[in-house]
Amino acid sequence: MGAGAGRSTADLLSEIEDLRSKVETIHGRISEHQREMTALQGEVAQMEATRRSLLAEVERRSRPAEDIHITDHALLRYVERVFGIDVDAVRRQILTDGVAKCIELGASTITVNGIQFRVKDRSIVTVIGSNQKPHRKKSKAHHRGRRPEREDINAHLADYYNPDGASD
């Protein structure tokens, strides 16, 4: 005999209705779990972002001391404010009408009173003094491990930090 043999149609319809009810209940639980899973995935994503941010901060704070440097902007402001150098006056002394005209005409090197101004993209990018030899850019490996000693800079700094000649 078949699975439904001996049962009435009403019993079979009732069983089918029970099965449908169970399917709906399971479907509802699946939907609820999917919503919970979506919320948990958002939480996990937030936690991952926080973790990455904290790791980056640990990395930033753990860098060796030789990574510490002074930006050119800070150095310029120091020279301007501590030594009392009028940077705008220096800028005007460099960028005369004649130098500006040469830049407008496309010059890449301009020499004034033995001082060379190197120009790139309509900006003066470096200055070579009359007592300096122009040199080609050397590789980073060439400069590694060298600390240039500049007696003139050291003397000025010594005068600044010990203006009366007293040593500490």
Side-chain angles (χ1 to χ4, degrees):
M1 278 187 161
R7 288 194 234 167
S8 70
T9 304
D11 288 340
L12 290 174
L13 288 175
S14 176
E15 284 180 26
I16 290 172
E17 193 56 40
D18 284 344
L19 290 173
R20 284 186 178 148
S21 175
K22 287 180 182 178
V23 166
E24 279 300 313
T25 300
I26 290 172
H27 179 72
R29 289 188 65 201
I30 288 172
S31 294
E32 182 181 324
H33 288 311
Q34 284 175 331
R35 282 190 300 275
E36 289 172 5
M37 188 172 69
T38 300
L40 288 172
Q41 285 172 333
E43 245 183 271
V44 167
Q46 265 186 327
M47 292 171 86
E48 273 297 315
T50 301
R51 183 183 69 84
R52 282 191 304 275
S53 175
L54 291 171
L55 284 172
E57 182 65 14
V58 166
E59 172 66 23
R60 185 185 71 78
R61 291 183 182 198
S62 301
R63 288 188 190 130
E66 57 265 9
D67 281 356
I68 298 171
H69 69 281
I70 300 172
T71 65
D72 288 343
H73 174 79
L75 187 62
L76 179 64
R77 292 298 165 250
Y78 186 87
V79 167
E80 181 180 40
R81 294 171 181 161
V82 173
F83 292 119
I85 305 288
D86 183 353
V87 176
D88 288 328
V90 173
R91 192 181 315 273
R92 287 188 302 273
Q93 185 177 353
I94 292 171
L95 191 58
T96 63
D97 291 341
V99 170
K101 185 66 175 173
C102 290
I103 292 172
E104 287 173 9
L105 294 173
S108 60
T109 302
I110 304 164
T111 304
V112 177
N113 297 326
I115 298 172
Q116 276 189 8
F117 301 109
R118 298 284 172 93
V119 179
K120 183 176 182 183
D121 298 327
R122 297 177 53 91
S123 295
I124 296 175
V125 293
T126 194
V127 178
I128 300 170
S130 57
N131 59 345
Q132 296 173 314
K133 290 183 181 179
H135 62 278
R136 295 218 177 263
K137 192 173 190 176
K138 295 181 180 168
S139 70
K140 288 182 181 178
H142 175 79
H143 292 288
R144 241 178 245 127
R146 286 185 31 206
R147 284 184 29 202
E149 295 296 328
R150 299 286 310 251
E151 291 306 314
D152 52 342
I153 291 175
N154 291 339
H156 288 296
L157 288 175
D159 288 344
Y160 172 73
Y161 286 110
N162 297 312
D164 57 1
S167 61
D168 26 357

